[in-house]
Amino acid sequence: MTTANPQPAAWLERLTAQLDELENALLSTDAAAVQAASLAVQTLMAKAPPARNWVSLDEAQRQQLQRNARRFNGLRQAVLRLVAQAERSTRVLLPETGQSPTYAGRRPPGGQLPGRAYLSA
């Protein structure tokens, strides 16, 4: 094994710790902490050991891997829901900054708006 490929058991422990941090950040509703913890989990996931290294796990570690996979999926969904809520809130509170560039109303060259906004796509 090289240092570029971490041992699965050690990586699994780090994943558990990172998921704990992400969960705590979500429960505290601290947007900056959620963003940092989410980035840490994504970075760790990118450094996962290759699949061939996972055969050495014992039964308890395999169960922990499955629990972490379910937990990761649930936390990922929670983060995506929070992002969507934040975007909706931004569009409601600051409509000029929350518009989608594809479907935002456009001003024609003369500066006059037509009776109805038209799509920029």
Side-chain angles (χ1 to χ4, degrees):
M1 299 291 154
T2 65
T3 57
N5 293 330
Q7 292 294 322
W11 182 87
L12 190 55
E13 291 300 320
R14 288 182 31 218
L15 178 62
T16 301
Q18 292 293 338
L19 291 175
D20 288 344
E21 286 183 29
L22 179 57
E23 186 174 11
N24 290 336
L26 283 166
L27 290 173
S28 71
T29 64
D30 181 0
V34 169
Q35 185 176 12
S38 180
L39 179 62
V41 169
Q42 289 175 19
T43 302
L44 185 62
M45 294 296 280
K47 297 177 182 177
R52 67 181 177 273
N53 292 1
W54 292 99
V55 296
S56 64
L57 293 179
D58 62 24
E59 186 61 30
Q61 291 170 326
R62 287 184 187 160
Q63 289 175 354
Q64 182 182 11
L65 179 63
Q66 291 173 346
R67 278 192 308 273
N68 280 344
R70 285 190 298 273
R71 201 168 156 212
F72 173 77
N73 187 42
L75 291 172
R76 181 179 177 273
Q77 292 300 318
V79 169
L80 292 175
R81 278 192 303 273
L82 287 176
V83 168
Q85 288 173 346
E87 287 175 357
R88 281 193 301 273
S89 297
T90 300
R91 281 194 302 266
V92 168
L93 296 172
L94 304 166
E96 66 280 358
T97 62
Q99 292 181 342
S100 165
T102 303
Y103 297 106
R106 285 184 24 198
R107 290 194 178 271
Q112 296 291 328
L113 287 175
R116 294 177 186 226
Y118 55 95
L119 297 178
S120 63

